Amino acid sequence: MTRAMIARATPKVGQSERLAALVETLAQQVRHEPGNIRFEAFSEGGGAVVMLEEYRDDAAFEAHLAQPYTKEFNAALAEVATGGASTVTDLASFASAQVSAPGIRAVDHAGLTVPDIEAATRFLCDAFGAVTLYDVLPEEGPNMEGEGPQEELGLSPGTRITHMRLVRIGNGPCLELFRMEGGAQSNPARLQDMGLTHLGLYVDDIDAACVAFTAAGGTLLKGPHPLANNEDNDGNAGIYGRAPWGSLFELLTYPGGIDLPTDTPAPRWTPHP
């Protein structure tokens, strides 16, 4: 079971900026911990900072507390926070929506095979602000090939993976980029083809997103167009486009909300701003 909590620190007079800087630094450090699930910070009136933290389990939280930067942060609070420390409230989950089988969390990532990972990364960065997390398989090798990968990944004989990279776009699943050589490849899927066909990205300003998509080298289809049926409310719109290598992306926005059926088991997941 995960360990979740809220930590709140209120700055002493004149210490608001320093407290915010300390939290900003801590956030970057904690997010690199293998046992951290999330670390988000919010500001309240009067400069108080609220930190929402979640860890894989109790052991992961104890490992967090043992980190030198955590100890340095807590020591600094003695100078900048009223009471000399933050207050911590443990959280217990309840009334959560049951939308998966026990033990299944959610979509972790989607895989995308591209002809050139560096070029694809530039497009995803320029069009969507994607960031590179790490290379699963560095370009300099060694390649992933042979009977093992063929049997494990369903590759045709002679196919080799020459580069793999994990990137992230906003508050959602990661994209795992692959570059393959040596095996036959089909064209990117169209919407009517079987299997996964496109990636949909929520945008706040669809016109600005269209400009960025095109400037990055993508090709938009007709639109933007209204969304359909219970998604068709004021301000809601979408448009499809192809990346330079042909993969299909959808840009969509629904600030007017979505009319959910009364018997829906859960709200639609939407990336937070």
Side-chain angles (χ1 to χ4, degrees):
M1 181 177 295
T2 62
R3 178 80 179 270
M5 66 209 63
I6 289 178
R8 178 179 282 100
T10 303
K12 294 179 179 178
V13 176
Q15 295 294 327
S16 295
E17 291 187 2
R18 187 181 176 197
L19 175 61
L22 287 169
V23 173
E24 180 69 28
T25 299
L26 181 68
Q28 300 303 320
Q29 294 167 323
V30 173
R31 290 170 186 154
H32 284 84
E33 295 177 16
N36 177 255
I37 295 175
R38 61 175 168 169
F39 187 108
E40 300 177 30
F42 306 87
S43 60
E44 288 185 330
V49 175
V50 177
M51 292 157 276
L52 176 60
E53 305 176 49
E54 188 171 8
Y55 298 87
R56 185 180 61 245
D57 49 31
D58 288 342
F61 178 60
E62 293 301 324
H64 159 72
L65 293 178
Q67 297 295 331
Y69 51 77
T70 305
K71 295 179 180 179
E72 292 173 4
F73 174 80
N74 289 332
L77 289 183
E79 300 179 6
V80 302
T82 58
S86 62
T87 60
V88 178
T89 304
D90 283 315
L91 302 175
S93 177
F94 77 104
S96 58
Q98 299 299 316
V99 291
S100 66
I104 302 297
R105 295 190 185 181
V107 175
D108 178 83
H109 70 277
L112 203 60
T113 297
V114 299
D116 184 323
I117 283 184
E118 296 298 342
T121 301
R122 285 194 297 272
F123 169 76
L124 295 171
C125 176
D126 293 345
F128 309 127
V131 296
T132 297
L133 301 184
Y134 52 85
D135 277 7
V136 183
L137 177 67
E139 187 174 16
E140 57 269 21
N143 294 339
M144 189 180 295
E145 57 186 329
E147 291 185 2
Q150 290 174 21
E151 295 175 356
E152 295 165 358
L153 307 177
L155 305 178
S156 60
T159 303
R160 61 185 183 275
I161 305 176
T162 62
H163 196 183
M164 296 170 60
R165 173 173 291 170
L166 204 70
V167 302
R168 179 171 174 174
I169 304 172
N171 178 38
C174 293
L175 291 180
E176 188 173 26
L177 306 180
F178 294 82
R179 189 182 74 198
M180 309 267 188
E181 296 179 0
Q185 291 180 305
S186 61
N187 292 325
R190 300 162 301 174
L191 203 59
Q192 72 262 35
D193 293 324
M194 298 294 292
L196 295 174
T197 60
H198 70 285
L199 296 172
L201 286 85
Y202 190 98
V203 301
D204 292 317
D205 185 331
I206 199 163
D207 293 328
C210 287
V211 170
F213 188 90
T214 302
T219 302
L220 292 169
L221 304 184
K222 185 178 180 180
H225 51 77
L227 301 185
N229 299 320
N230 56 322
E231 297 179 354
D232 184 16
N233 287 323
D234 290 342
N236 297 0
I239 186 170
Y240 284 85
R242 290 202 176 274
W245 62 91
S247 291
L248 194 60
F249 286 81
E250 180 186 9
L251 309 176
L252 75 159
T253 188
Y254 42 92
I258 293 174
D259 298 327
L260 294 172
T262 57
D263 59 350
T264 187
R268 174 172 176 157
W269 180 82
T270 301
H272 67 64

